[in-house]
Amino acid sequence: MDKLAAKHNLTIVTDHSKWKYGKFLELLKDTKVFVSPFGLGEFSGKDYEAILAGALLVKPLASKFQSFPNIYEPHFVIETKNDFSDLEEQVMPILSHIDDLRTKG
């Protein structure tokens, strides 16, 4: 993630400490891309929060999941390989035009 940030002049937050929920929501409002790795399982409530905040959700192997509502459909999520080795290839073409996509939304 740090190499990607340096290469493309991105701000990436990878803080693993506990945050107050209000602080998390404030950060989420300014988030364009939310990378959601597996935690204790493949599903995370943060996936829904990211989408509702207007962020692009990036999730490995997303097409394998089903939820209700199914946020793992291609129009909600960008799927990556399990090890995120294709993260730059999947995200940067979209991120470079994200403001245009948001205004058309």
Side-chain angles (χ1 to χ4, degrees), residues 3-81:
K3 288 180 185 179
L4 189 64
K7 181 177 179 182
H8 296 283
N9 194 31
L10 302 172
T11 301
I12 296 179
V13 178
T14 57
D15 187 346
H16 297 281
S17 63
K18 281 211 170 217
W19 288 26
K20 291 191 178 202
Y21 191 62
K23 182 180 176 186
F24 169 74
L25 291 178
E26 284 300 313
L27 178 65
L28 200 53
K29 287 180 193 176
D30 293 326
T31 300
K32 293 182 180 176
V33 175
F34 189 90
V35 179
S36 181
F38 300 142
L40 299 174
E42 64 276 351
F43 170 79
S44 171
K46 301 289 183 232
D47 296 350
Y48 287 95
E49 292 169 327
I51 288 173
L52 289 171
L56 173 65
L57 179 64
V58 177
K59 189 82 169 178
L61 306 175
S63 64
K64 306 288 184 206
F65 312 143
Q66 289 186 349
S67 64
F68 184 79
N70 195 358
I71 61 169
Y72 302 110
E73 294 284 331
H75 57 277
F76 285 117
V77 66
I78 298 300
E79 182 173 356
T80 63
K81 293 179 181 175

